[in-house]
Amino acid sequence: MFAAAIHAGSEAASVDWRSDYDALTYEVVSVPDAVADGVRLFMSHYQLNYGAFDFAVTPTGDWVFFECNPAGQWQFIAQATGLPIAEAHARLLQGAMS
């Protein structure tokens, strides 16, 4: 699992982060165990090899699930954070992961 927080640096981006890309910053974050377990259960139930999950994190630290995009974009996150997402996809396609 690769997780990154997208932080909005403008009022427009706070409403919809896609409205002001220049105001965004990115941070690699850890996924809480309970959330990771839920993601794995979701992936197993729907027989997915990949999913781009969207969450919000409340001020008290609760993760709120919005959706899973089974073909969601990830390159901009990898580029901004250095997360090795492309390499994981390559290993998956080569059969190195189940």
Side-chain angles (χ1 to χ4, degrees):
M1 268 179 221
F2 302 104
I6 301 173
H7 299 286
S10 71
E11 187 174 332
S14 293
V15 173
D16 181 349
W17 63 269
R18 298 165 296 181
S19 68
D20 190 2
Y21 287 105
D22 291 335
L24 303 177
T25 58
Y26 304 87
E27 174 189 12
V28 175
V29 297
S30 297
V31 179
D33 291 340
V35 174
D37 291 344
V39 166
R40 287 185 191 98
L41 184 62
F42 185 101
M43 298 287 289
S44 176
H45 177 79
Y46 289 104
Q47 300 178 357
L48 298 173
N49 289 321
Y50 168 77
F53 284 74
D54 293 336
F55 292 90
V57 180
T58 68
T60 59
D62 294 321
W63 285 49
V64 179
F65 171 69
F66 291 126
E67 65 180 336
C68 172
N69 300 294
Q73 297 181 27
W74 51 266
Q75 181 57 32
F76 73 104
I77 296 290
Q79 185 175 12
T81 63
L83 288 169
I85 303 170
E87 293 83 351
H89 276 272
R91 287 193 310 274
L92 175 67
L93 291 171
Q94 294 172 350
M97 304 169 101
S98 56

